[in-house]
Amino acid sequence: MKIAASLIATLALAATTIAAPDNKHGNKPNKPIVINKKVLQTSKVPFIPHSGTALFTNWVGLNVDFKYVKPVFDLVNATKAYGNGTLISRGEAHITTIPPTEYDNILHPAGVTIEELNALAAKNNRLQRARFGLECLGRVQVVTKDGVFQQSVQIILKNYKDILSYRNDVFKLFVKKGGNPALFAADNFTPHITIGFKNRDIFIEDGVYKGKNACIHPIVAK
Ligand SMILES: *[C@@H]1O[C@H](CO)[C@@H](O)[C@H](O)[C@H]1NC(C)=O
Ligand SMILES: *[C@@H]1O[C@H](CO)[C@@H](O)[C@H](O)[C@H]1NC(C)=O
């Protein structure tokens, strides 16, 4: 009997421990979504280079600790007003800084290599050390050309000067190599952290813009 009681107590404690992050962050409907502010400390996670030989395999991203994004995914996935049904998660989180299309179609043809972009990002851990703020929870929806309803939910960023400054240096490198300045705009960019999506993720190429325009709910880092 005593053993059973202590087992129950242990289980209850374990349950509290597991549930604590969400309770502590007190997510309630009609209140801003709360995310652990440690999500902003990206200098604590490694920079991950993405390179390959095929199209869509070369891109630059600021790695984000998924551990802090997962509770937001779980909340969005379980809340119809946010997720509109269940979503697919990639099981990782990042802020795309140079998308694969920009690399394949614009930078690479001008002779800019992924090694150069990675070196620029990794120097003094520059990209991972970038500071940024959270604008809102965003959602974009579109019926794509094939007639399928697509939806993607993301955390939209604000105050991302450090990320822009990286893109500005990429612009300088591109122009130095003879690239046409009309084809790359450092600030034509809507940084976000993808939370999840239906079917597949959607992009500018699908006609959607993941900026302030896409906000559906406030989010705060605490
Ligand atoms: C929810 O998703 C369905 C498709 O699954 C779509 O037809 C509908 O417009 C969406 N509604 C809202 C409110 O987002
Ligand atoms: C999203 O929610 C659904 C329904 O509860 C669940 O079946 C699914 O596993 C969840 N997705 C993830 C990636 O956890």
Side-chain angles (χ1 to χ4, degrees), residues 23-83:
N23 290 341
K24 185 174 131 221
H25 288 101
N27 276 307
K28 295 191 182 73
N30 307 322
K31 290 267 173 68
I33 294 169
V34 181
I35 186 167
N36 192 319
K37 64 176 186 301
K38 288 185 183 155
V39 74
L40 305 174
Q41 295 172 11
T42 49
S43 63
K44 298 203 169 149
V45 288
F47 172 68
I48 302 175
H50 305 277
S51 57
T53 47
L55 286 175
F56 290 105
T57 55
N58 295 286
W59 53 283
V60 180
L62 196 169
N63 185 21
V64 174
D65 197 334
F66 182 66
K67 176 163 82 229
Y68 304 117
V69 175
K70 171 93 173 35
V72 179
F73 172 85
D74 290 339
L75 178 73
V76 169
N77 191 38
T79 311
K80 192 134 208 273
Y82 303 152

Side-chain angles (χ1 to χ4, degrees), residues 87-105:
L87 301 173
I88 299 165
S89 162
R90 284 207 187 96
E92 56 83 33
H94 63 264
I95 301 161
T96 301
T97 304
I98 300 289
T101 44
E102 211 168 38
Y103 180 79
D104 291 337
N105 302 334

